[in-house]
Amino acid sequence: MDAEIISFQYFKHSPHIMAHTAANEAHVSLDEGATWRPLTLPDAPATPISDVLAILRNPYFEGYAVIVTMGHVHYITADEGRSAKAIHVPDSPHAEARAAFAFHPEQPEWMLYSARSESCPSQLAGPGGCPAKAYISRDLGDTWDELMAMVGPTGCNFMRTDKLLTRHPRSVVCQVPREHGDRVDRSENPYDIVVVEDVFHRNPKVLLEGALDFGTIDKYLIMTRSTNNEKHLQMFITEDGEQVAVAHFPGEKHHTDPAYTLLPPSKSGGVLMLHVTKSLVPSQEWGAIYASNSNGTYFRLSLENVNRDEQGQVDFERIESLEGAALANVVANAGDLEASRRTREARKRYLSARSADKQLRTVMTMDNGASWHYLNPPSRDSEGRRYPCRSSAPSDGSCALHLHGYTELFDPVNIYSGSGAPGVLIGMGNVGSYLGSMRNASTFLSRDGGHVWTEIQKGAYWHEIGDHGVIL
């Protein structure tokens, strides 16, 4: 490939990999990346698929992926990238390409699609612009039926997931503008969240009036509503698509700060974790992680000053095959950064985007966020030399092992672990008071779930875990 790679998509049970390039093309490798070829159609093997916006893996069926383009024709593979076929849609995708398609957990041929309205100028086809249209296909994109004439930027999704088992397998949830018109209502809560119990018999009912958006994760459908002139956010939870409960936060509050990120759930599910942003200063973003009770309605503070980036991505990663285990990076100097911001505001001076750098430290939980500890550093490096500081972990991070996390890595999939190798963790970082630059990082290995670490190589190296941890 001549062009830079934007993202990879891996097929877990085969050596096949798909890549989205900066030339807006899709490439496929059938031999773990040793050789690559452009993805083409059978009737045009010499013409690469172009104008690619994103490659979306079907999260429920391993061999399926959709290649989203900028126009009316997208592409789908059902055999791990060996071949592809064109799917013709009513219009170009609405809003962000990664929200254009949604997939059914039990029917691989069923898809939802959010399209730009025919009367909507392309420059307004996103949040705050024109509403979208929602379509459904039950034959892998060969034909499309209109599901909703007007939906918001979140669009529609199948309400049923692999863990959210609603009453009807054909139920759909949608974000619908409260007042139909040429433009989406721009009030504080311009949408209703509606449920269509059966896509074959359209009879939508309102689940939550006056809402912002919704999302599904684990066994929960989560809906939000803005309050107090967008300064606060209410969160509503349902497990069955019928009974809705408001989320409770520490201090008997029924609201939280308005910017949040849903974090990956554990394999067994139940505990819902979310990151709520406390600082939105450019390049100085951080927030707090909250963990819920078993039904997702009561939240407790789990970890403060957790790092995030400008896109809302959080330095939090579940450890595959270790139930309840996760790694996170915290901003150790959050208090100093906040004090500096307040001083500058008091003096009415402009705050530089990088007036000070975050100082990150890595922590780990083994009990779904009930407690966190720092990583024990090895006593010697890979060349047998002692580190200049003596371990302060697990209670103190002033001399500990710190690892680069989700917000920094080019391809953040299974960053530290693999599902087939219980207890084996690999990361790139350094020993010291804080996380250093990637240029000065080394590669570290743990064979016992993160308790004991060994530096295995000077420098930061990409890595894969194979044969249940036998091959690295």
Side-chain angles (χ1 to χ4, degrees):
M1 288 181 289
D2 295 330
E4 178 185 354
I5 295 174
I6 296 176
S7 66
F8 288 111
Q9 294 293 336
Y10 297 93
F11 297 96
K12 295 181 180 179
H13 304 303
S14 79
H16 299 190
I17 308 172
M18 295 184 70
H20 176 205
T21 72
N24 294 327
E25 293 181 350
H27 289 246
V28 63
S29 171
L30 306 182
D31 53 11
E32 298 182 326
T35 59
W36 293 86
R37 63 172 175 81
L39 191 63
T40 60
L41 297 178
D43 56 353
T47 305
I49 292 173
S50 59
D51 295 332
V52 175
L53 286 177
I55 300 174
L56 303 182
R57 286 275 313 286
N58 186 318
Y60 307 111
F61 295 91
E62 180 58 33
Y64 290 73
V66 174
I67 297 90
V68 185
T69 72
M70 305 173 187
H72 294 217
V73 181
H74 308 289
Y75 305 89
I76 189 167
T77 177
D79 55 9
E80 301 173 327
R82 293 182 182 87
S83 63
K85 76 166 189 175
I87 51 177
H88 297 264
V89 295
D91 212 319
S92 55
H94 180 267
E96 183 181 309
R98 290 194 176 278
F101 286 88
F103 307 94
H104 195 280
E106 298 163 351
Q107 304 288 341
E109 298 85 6
W110 288 27
M111 296 184 292
L112 299 175
Y113 178 68
S114 294
R116 177 173 60 89
S117 174
E118 296 94 333
S119 61
C120 180
S122 60
Q123 68 268 23
L124 293 177
C130 301
K133 281 190 175 183
Y135 295 86
I136 185 171
S137 174
R138 294 182 287 270
D139 52 14
L140 209 61
D142 289 340
T143 60
W144 295 90
D145 297 318
E146 184 178 298
L147 178 65
M148 286 281 181
M150 297 184 72
V151 295
T154 305
C156 295
N157 205 344
F158 291 107
M159 195 162 175
R160 195 177 183 94
T161 70
D162 54 345
K163 292 182 179 179
L164 178 59
L165 302 178
T166 57
R167 182 174 65 183
H168 206 298
R170 296 194 292 265
S171 57
V172 172
V173 58
C174 297
Q175 178 198 47
V176 178
R178 300 201 72 188
E179 295 181 6
H180 290 187
D182 294 335
R183 293 291 181 268
V184 171
D185 180 6
R186 295 173 185 266
S187 64
E188 191 174 13
N189 295 288
Y191 306 105
D192 290 335
I193 307 302
V194 304
V195 172
V196 179
E197 288 288 348
D198 186 344
V199 293
F200 294 131
H201 304 90
R202 317 278 170 79
N203 186 23
K205 68 174 184 179
V206 177
L207 193 60
L208 181 66
E209 294 183 347
L212 276 179
D213 61 7
F214 74 89
T216 56
I217 188 169
D218 197 58
K219 63 178 183 178
Y220 304 107
L221 170 65
I222 301 169
M223 301 165 286
T224 59
R225 176 186 290 161
S226 179
T227 63
N228 193 20
N229 294 322
E230 301 183 356
K231 294 179 181 178
H232 295 140
L233 195 76
Q234 281 186 312
M235 188 170 291
F236 299 84
I237 314 289
T238 179
E239 295 183 69
D240 58 9
E242 296 184 1
Q243 301 298 319
V244 178
V246 63
H248 298 254
F249 291 90
E252 295 300 318
K253 295 179 180 178
H254 292 170
H255 61 79
T256 186
D257 293 291
Y260 72 98
T261 301
L262 296 174
L263 301 178
S266 62
K267 292 292 184 182
S268 63
V271 175
L272 178 62
M273 301 185 77
L274 68 151
H275 178 278
V276 177
T277 299
K278 302 298 183 181
S279 170
L280 278 171
V281 177
S283 299
Q284 295 179 5
E285 301 90 352
W286 71 80
I289 289 178
Y290 293 87
S292 77
N293 61 348
S294 60
N295 64 6
T297 54
Y298 286 84
F299 286 83
R300 58 174 173 78
L301 178 62
S302 173
L303 184 64
E304 294 186 282
N305 303 330
V306 181
N307 186 46
R308 58 152 278 189
D309 63 13
E310 295 179 3
Q311 287 73 45
Q313 304 295 332
V314 180
D315 265 350
F316 173 92
E317 178 74 6
R318 291 280 184 184
I319 303 303
E320 291 287 328
S321 74
L322 289 180
E323 183 61 30
L327 288 165
N329 281 340
V330 296
V331 182
N333 62 333
D336 293 339
L337 295 177
E338 180 66 12
S340 175
R341 180 189 68 81
R342 290 177 178 175
T343 299
R344 288 168 180 267
E345 286 184 351
R347 295 175 180 175
K348 298 182 179 181
R349 294 172 57 185
Y350 290 106
L351 178 64
S352 169
R354 294 197 62 83
S355 58
D357 290 329
K358 297 177 185 176
Q359 295 176 334
L360 303 183
R361 288 174 173 173
T362 300
V363 291
M364 185 174 188
T365 180
M366 301 297 293
D367 50 17
N368 268 326
S371 61
W372 297 83
H373 62 269
Y374 294 99
L375 302 182
N376 289 306
S379 59
R380 297 177 182 270
D381 64 13
S382 56
E383 297 174 350
R385 293 194 293 262
R386 286 191 175 276
Y387 287 102
C389 65
R390 180 175 295 181
S391 174
S392 62
S395 59
D396 189 323
S398 58
C399 182
L401 174 62
H402 308 290
L403 301 175
H404 293 275
Y406 193 93
T407 61
E408 294 184 87
L409 299 182
F410 170 70
D411 186 37
V413 177
N414 292 345
I415 296 173
Y416 305 113
S417 59
S419 58
V424 177
L425 283 68
I426 306 179
M428 298 174 287
N430 59 272
V431 173
S433 298
Y434 307 105
L435 182 64
S437 69
M438 187 71 79
R439 294 189 303 272
N440 299 321
S442 295
T443 304
F444 294 84
L445 168 71
S446 173
R447 299 178 177 88
D448 59 2
H451 180 65
V452 176
W453 291 84
T454 303
E455 183 185 286
I456 57 174
Q457 188 74 42
K458 292 291 185 184
Y461 287 84
W462 297 114
H463 47 267
E464 289 290 339
I465 301 172
D467 196 14
H468 305 286
V470 176
I471 300 173
L472 301 177

